[in-house]
Amino acid sequence: MNMNHAQRLILSNQYEILIRLNPERADYYRRCQTIIARGYCLQMLELEKEFGHLDEATCREVISTLEMYHALKVSYENLSPDETVDVSANRLEFIGYSRGHEKELADYVCFLLDEEGRFPELGKSCAMLNSELAMRDKYQRMLLAWQDCPRHYKLSIQEIRKVLNA
Protein backbone atom coordinates (compact mmCIF):
# COMPACT_ATOMS: atom_id res chain seq x y z
CA MET A 1 0.00 0.00 0.00
CA ASN A 2 1.64 3.20 -1.14
CA MET A 3 0.37 6.30 0.61
CA ASN A 4 1.80 9.74 0.94
CA HIS A 5 2.06 11.45 4.34
CA ALA A 6 -1.26 13.26 3.98
CA GLN A 7 -3.09 10.02 3.17
CA ARG A 8 -1.46 8.26 6.12
CA LEU A 9 -2.45 11.13 8.43
CA ILE A 10 -6.07 10.99 7.22
CA LEU A 11 -6.25 7.21 7.68
CA SER A 12 -4.58 7.43 11.08
CA ASN A 13 -7.21 9.98 12.13
CA GLN A 14 -9.96 7.66 10.84
CA TYR A 15 -8.63 4.89 13.07
CA GLU A 16 -8.63 7.34 16.00
CA ILE A 17 -12.32 7.97 15.38
CA LEU A 18 -13.01 4.24 15.14
CA ILE A 19 -11.22 3.67 18.46
CA ARG A 20 -13.61 6.10 20.13
CA LEU A 21 -16.74 4.89 18.33
CA ASN A 22 -16.10 1.19 18.75
CA PRO A 23 -14.34 0.56 22.09
CA GLU A 24 -14.71 -3.23 21.89
CA ARG A 25 -12.41 -3.23 18.85
CA ALA A 26 -10.15 -0.44 20.13
CA ASP A 27 -7.06 -2.67 20.40
CA TYR A 28 -7.37 -3.71 16.77
CA TYR A 29 -7.89 -0.14 15.56
CA ARG A 30 -5.02 1.13 17.71
CA ARG A 31 -2.71 -1.46 16.12
CA CYS A 32 -3.86 -0.41 12.63
CA GLN A 33 -3.35 3.24 13.53
CA THR A 34 0.20 2.55 14.69
CA ILE A 35 1.01 0.63 11.50
CA ILE A 36 -0.27 3.47 9.32
CA ALA A 37 1.19 6.32 11.37
CA ARG A 38 4.65 4.78 11.51
CA GLY A 39 4.60 3.47 7.96
CA TYR A 40 5.39 -0.18 8.67
CA CYS A 41 5.24 -1.41 5.08
CA LEU A 42 5.13 -5.13 5.85
CA GLN A 43 2.16 -4.74 8.17
CA MET A 44 0.53 -2.27 5.77
CA LEU A 45 0.41 -5.12 3.25
CA GLU A 46 -1.43 -7.16 5.87
CA LEU A 47 -3.99 -4.36 6.25
CA GLU A 48 -4.33 -4.12 2.49
CA LYS A 49 -5.49 -7.74 2.35
CA GLU A 50 -8.61 -6.66 4.23
CA PHE A 51 -9.55 -4.54 1.22
CA GLY A 52 -10.84 -7.05 -1.27
CA HIS A 53 -10.61 -6.56 -5.00
CA LEU A 54 -12.64 -8.35 -7.60
CA ASP A 55 -12.15 -7.32 -11.20
CA GLU A 56 -15.11 -6.77 -13.49
CA ALA A 57 -14.76 -10.16 -15.20
CA THR A 58 -14.87 -12.00 -11.87
CA CYS A 59 -17.91 -10.03 -10.74
CA ARG A 60 -19.68 -10.88 -13.99
CA GLU A 61 -18.73 -14.55 -13.52
CA VAL A 62 -20.32 -14.64 -10.06
CA ILE A 63 -23.48 -12.92 -11.35
CA SER A 64 -23.63 -15.38 -14.27
CA THR A 65 -23.30 -18.27 -11.81
CA LEU A 66 -26.27 -16.99 -9.80
CA GLU A 67 -28.26 -16.46 -13.02
CA MET A 68 -27.40 -20.01 -14.08
CA TYR A 69 -28.78 -21.41 -10.82
CA HIS A 70 -31.94 -19.37 -11.31
CA ALA A 71 -32.26 -20.73 -14.86
CA LEU A 72 -31.75 -24.30 -13.63
CA LYS A 73 -34.56 -23.91 -11.08
CA VAL A 74 -36.95 -22.26 -13.55
CA SER A 75 -36.27 -24.93 -16.17
CA TYR A 76 -36.66 -27.76 -13.64
CA GLU A 77 -39.97 -26.37 -12.36
CA ASN A 78 -41.31 -26.21 -15.93
CA LEU A 79 -40.67 -29.91 -16.53
CA SER A 80 -43.18 -32.64 -15.78
CA PRO A 81 -42.67 -34.77 -12.65
CA ASP A 82 -41.99 -37.77 -14.89
CA GLU A 83 -39.02 -35.97 -16.47
CA THR A 84 -37.48 -34.90 -13.16
CA VAL A 85 -37.78 -38.21 -11.32
CA ASP A 86 -34.05 -39.02 -11.50
CA VAL A 87 -32.75 -35.50 -10.68
CA SER A 88 -33.22 -34.32 -7.11
CA ALA A 89 -34.34 -30.73 -6.66
CA ASN A 90 -31.65 -30.40 -3.96
CA ARG A 91 -28.97 -30.56 -6.66
CA LEU A 92 -30.31 -27.28 -8.05
CA GLU A 93 -29.61 -25.37 -4.83
CA PHE A 94 -26.76 -22.85 -4.92
CA ILE A 95 -24.46 -23.69 -2.00
CA GLY A 96 -22.15 -20.70 -2.30
CA TYR A 97 -18.39 -20.39 -2.28
CA SER A 98 -15.95 -21.60 0.34
CA ARG A 99 -15.23 -18.97 3.00
CA GLY A 100 -11.89 -20.68 3.63
CA HIS A 101 -10.72 -20.73 0.01
CA GLU A 102 -12.82 -18.18 -1.89
CA LYS A 103 -13.58 -15.48 0.68
CA GLU A 104 -13.76 -12.57 -1.78
CA LEU A 105 -16.21 -14.48 -3.99
CA ALA A 106 -18.32 -15.47 -0.98
CA ASP A 107 -18.33 -11.86 0.23
CA TYR A 108 -19.46 -10.65 -3.20
CA VAL A 109 -22.35 -13.13 -3.22
CA CYS A 110 -23.34 -11.87 0.24
CA PHE A 111 -23.24 -8.30 -1.06
CA LEU A 112 -25.42 -9.19 -4.05
CA LEU A 113 -27.97 -11.13 -2.01
CA ASP A 114 -28.14 -9.21 1.26
CA GLU A 115 -27.11 -5.66 0.39
CA GLU A 116 -28.33 -5.34 -3.20
CA GLY A 117 -31.33 -7.62 -2.76
CA ARG A 118 -30.61 -9.39 -6.04
CA PHE A 119 -31.63 -12.96 -6.85
CA PRO A 120 -34.43 -13.27 -4.26
CA GLU A 121 -35.79 -16.15 -6.33
CA LEU A 122 -32.90 -18.28 -5.08
CA GLY A 123 -34.42 -18.07 -1.61
CA LYS A 124 -31.00 -17.69 0.01
CA SER A 125 -29.25 -15.25 2.28
CA CYS A 126 -25.57 -14.96 3.07
CA ALA A 127 -26.00 -16.83 6.35
CA MET A 128 -27.29 -19.88 4.44
CA LEU A 129 -24.27 -20.14 2.15
CA ASN A 130 -20.88 -21.66 2.78
CA SER A 131 -19.43 -24.51 0.85
CA GLU A 132 -16.86 -26.63 2.62
CA LEU A 133 -15.01 -27.06 -0.68
CA ALA A 134 -13.74 -24.52 -3.17
CA MET A 135 -16.47 -24.29 -5.81
CA ARG A 136 -15.24 -21.81 -8.38
CA ASP A 137 -13.77 -24.42 -10.74
CA LYS A 138 -16.99 -26.45 -10.60
CA TYR A 139 -19.13 -23.37 -11.24
CA GLN A 140 -16.92 -22.36 -14.18
CA ARG A 141 -17.39 -25.79 -15.78
CA MET A 142 -21.12 -25.57 -15.17
CA LEU A 143 -21.25 -22.10 -16.75
CA LEU A 144 -19.52 -23.36 -19.89
CA ALA A 145 -22.03 -26.20 -20.19
CA TRP A 146 -24.96 -23.83 -19.55
CA GLN A 147 -23.71 -21.30 -22.10
CA ASP A 148 -23.60 -24.08 -24.73
CA CYS A 149 -27.34 -24.63 -24.30
CA PRO A 150 -29.45 -22.81 -26.91
CA ARG A 151 -32.23 -21.74 -24.51
CA HIS A 152 -30.83 -20.80 -21.10
CA TYR A 153 -34.17 -20.58 -19.27
CA LYS A 154 -35.92 -23.49 -21.02
CA LEU A 155 -33.51 -26.35 -20.43
CA SER A 156 -34.41 -29.97 -21.02
CA ILE A 157 -33.71 -32.53 -18.32
CA GLN A 158 -30.73 -33.74 -20.38
CA GLU A 159 -29.32 -30.20 -20.46
CA ILE A 160 -29.90 -29.78 -16.72
CA ARG A 161 -28.04 -33.05 -16.09
CA LYS A 162 -25.22 -31.92 -18.39
CA VAL A 163 -24.83 -28.64 -16.49
CA LEU A 164 -25.00 -30.29 -13.05
CA ASN A 165 -22.49 -32.97 -14.02
CA ALA A 166 -19.99 -30.60 -15.65
Side-chain angles (χ1 to χ4, degrees):
M1 183 181 319
N2 293 326
M3 293 188 288
N4 63 35
H5 292 295
Q7 292 168 324
R8 286 180 32 215
L9 177 61
I10 291 167
L11 188 53
S12 177
N13 287 338
Q14 293 292 322
Y15 280 122
E16 182 64 34
I17 292 168
L18 288 170
I19 289 167
R20 294 169 194 247
L21 290 176
N22 200 349
E24 63 274 1
R25 296 205 60 206
D27 291 340
Y28 170 75
Y29 293 134
R30 197 169 285 108
R31 178 179 182 272
C32 294
Q33 182 184 34
T34 301
I35 290 168
I36 296 298
R38 296 186 183 163
Y40 299 148
C41 291
L42 182 62
Q43 283 73 23
M44 286 171 77
L45 291 174
E46 174 189 322
L47 294 179
E48 189 175 280
K49 288 180 186 175
E50 292 181 19
F51 296 99
H53 174 76
L54 288 181
D55 59 34
E56 183 179 342
T58 304
C59 291
R60 290 187 188 283
E61 176 189 321
V62 171
I63 290 170
S64 292
T65 300
L66 294 171
E67 286 174 353
M68 174 187 65
Y69 269 91
H70 177 239
L72 287 168
K73 286 180 100 168
V74 167
S75 296
Y76 185 86
E77 290 167 0
N78 287 329
L79 296 172
S80 72
D82 292 340
E83 293 175 291
T84 62
V85 73
D86 65 334
V87 176
S88 169
N90 291 339
R91 291 194 62 203
L92 304 171
E93 295 294 323
F94 178 69
I95 61 172
Y97 292 92
S98 168
R99 286 239 164 249
H101 301 96
E102 304 161 322
K103 184 180 180 330
E104 288 182 337
L105 300 173
D107 288 344
Y108 187 55
V109 168
C110 289
F111 170 76
L112 291 171
L113 298 179
D114 294 347
E115 301 294 324
E116 296 270 303
R118 294 184 66 181
F119 304 100
E121 62 278 357
L122 295 178
K124 299 282 184 170
S125 69
C126 180
M128 301 168 73
L129 301 173
N130 185 16
S131 170
E132 296 294 322
L133 303 170
M135 294 299 296
R136 186 175 187 187
D137 290 342
K138 170 72 173 165
Y139 293 152
Q140 287 174 332
R141 290 190 308 273
M142 290 173 70
L143 277 171
L144 289 174
W146 179 57
Q147 290 164 348
D148 282 344
C149 298
R151 299 173 321 267
H152 293 161
Y153 280 83
K154 196 163 176 72
L155 302 170
S156 68
I157 193 64
Q158 292 83 9
E159 290 170 322
I160 290 173
R161 269 194 226 106
K162 179 183 171 188
V163 171
L164 292 173
N165 294 329

